[in-house]
Amino acid sequence: MKLTQGCFSFLPDLTDDQITKQVQYCLANGWAVNIEFTDDPHPRNTYWEMWGLPMFDLQDAAGVMMELAECRRVYSDRYIRISGFDASHGWESVRISFLVNRPKQEAEFELVRHEVAGRAIRYTTVRKPAVQAST
């Protein structure tokens, strides 16, 4: 199952050249770029681990791409995303975020329905256990 989080989530995975262009777009707009990783891609997990510090004051995407290559080397089995943070007055928020690495075996989730009082229905997203390949 391919997780669909962030920009470009319904497109094929971006190539390194396409990632470089998106990072350069962030830098051209004065946004701080950061790299994050996790093994828990649940939609409500907003606490991904940061790879180093956010990269303020960069002019060239090559620096981010070097850090991304190192992060991929260390955490090739995790989800990795790049975010562009706009610190300008009035925004002060993430303006772009997209996945740049996926594990070989993606996480799978299922939707569990709960009927509650008053005919209301609530849904919970539950991570399914990983299926081990049979030998």
Side-chain angles (χ1 to χ4, degrees):
M1 174 173 108
K2 181 181 175 187
L3 284 178
T4 53
Q5 291 187 17
C7 301
F8 322 118
S9 61
F10 292 99
L11 297 174
D13 290 340
L14 299 178
T15 64
D16 281 358
D17 185 49
Q18 292 168 324
I19 293 168
T20 301
K21 289 178 181 174
Q22 293 303 320
V23 169
Q24 195 60 51
Y25 174 80
C26 293
L27 297 175
N29 283 290
W31 304 342
V33 176
N34 66 301
I35 300 172
E36 300 170 297
F37 61 93
T38 189
D39 62 352
D40 179 16
H42 188 282
R44 290 196 182 125
N45 175 21
T46 58
Y47 299 107
W48 289 40
E49 299 290 327
M50 288 188 70
W51 177 262
L53 297 172
M55 293 170 243
F56 296 95
D57 302 326
L58 286 181
Q59 301 298 316
D60 188 2
V64 175
M65 295 307 290
M66 287 186 341
E67 290 295 324
L68 174 59
E70 184 63 14
C71 185
R72 281 176 170 165
R73 187 186 68 73
V74 174
Y75 294 112
S76 62
D77 61 336
R78 309 243 174 120
Y79 291 91
I80 301 173
R81 73 179 173 198
I82 289 181
S83 299
F85 182 85
D86 183 356
S88 62
H89 183 69
W91 279 99
E92 298 155 344
S93 181
V94 171
R95 296 277 291 239
I96 188 171
S97 177
F98 54 95
L99 292 176
V100 294
N101 195 73
R102 299 169 181 278
K104 289 179 184 170
Q105 179 67 37
E106 292 227 37
E108 292 192 21
F109 295 90
E110 64 182 337
L111 202 58
V112 178
R113 184 170 98 176
H114 304 278
E115 294 185 21
V116 294
R119 294 186 173 186
I121 298 175
R122 293 195 177 139
Y123 294 92
T124 305
T125 307
V126 179
R127 185 170 183 169
K128 294 168 67 173
V131 178
Q132 299 297 325
S134 59
T135 56

